[in-house]
Amino acid sequence: MKRIAITVGLAVLVAASALAQQHIVITPSGARPTIYGPPQAYTGKAVADTLVAPNDPSHVMAVTITFEPGARTAWHNHPAGQYLIVTSGVGWVQERGGKKREVRPGDVIWTPPGVVHWHGATATNAMSHLAVWEFVGGSGGELMEHVSDEDYLAE
């Protein structure tokens, strides 16, 4: 009986300790470095600020990206889809085989899982957006070829 009481007591302490680890975490904005988008993923200059990176138990990624005029992502997709929330400027988004579409501040774009697409600034205006997507099986998506200038500028 004494052994059971000790075991139960230890289990309660372990559970209480685990619960004590649950708390709100605030990461100051200056604690996250701003980076330039890597050349294999972007044409032109794009500046990214990672707000949320995938971790247990969440697999969500959230990044604010500012594209200079003419800058855009390469063709890519996301296994669980992606939300884009345009915060400033004027940009374009396009799914492979579809028409290029203009987006402006306040627009929310949903790209379904697996849909190949690109997004970025227009040729004459910068654009910023918040991008939110989920990692599945450790993958945030598949990066493909760059969007050619011909395709980027096509009506």
Side-chain angles (χ1 to χ4, degrees):
M1 185 69 144
K2 193 176 205 179
R3 186 177 223 162
I4 292 173
I6 290 172
T7 303
V8 170
L10 286 174
V12 169
L13 285 174
V14 168
S17 174
L19 287 175
Q21 299 300 322
Q22 301 292 327
H23 54 87
I24 293 174
V25 175
I26 298 173
T27 305
S29 62
R32 299 179 307 268
T34 297
I35 63 166
Y36 285 101
Q40 66 268 28
Y42 296 89
T43 298
K45 285 192 178 176
V47 178
D49 288 295
T50 299
L51 304 174
V52 178
N55 60 38
D56 268 342
S58 174
H59 301 285
V60 171
M61 182 87 171
V63 180
T64 299
I65 303 171
T66 299
F67 298 85
E68 289 187 357
R72 68 253 188 202
T73 67
W75 290 101
H76 65 284
N77 64 28
H78 301 279
Q82 180 185 53
Y83 282 102
L84 300 175
I85 302 150
V86 180
T87 57
S88 68
V90 183
W92 289 325
V93 300
Q94 183 178 15
E95 65 182 86
R96 196 179 300 272
K99 290 188 73 163
K100 179 174 65 180
R101 298 166 69 183
E102 186 176 280
V103 293
R104 294 182 172 271
D107 290 349
V108 177
I109 301 97
W110 164 246
T111 303
V115 172
V116 177
H117 66 287
W118 67 268
H119 38 95
T122 67
T124 56
N125 295 96
M127 188 268 292
S128 294
H129 66 47
L130 172 63
V132 181
W133 69 99
E134 184 176 355
F135 277 58
V136 175
S139 173
E142 181 182 8
L143 187 60
M144 297 165 199
E145 77 276 10
H146 284 273
V147 176
S148 69
D149 288 343
E150 182 181 352
D151 287 343
Y152 173 73
L153 295 172
E155 290 299 318

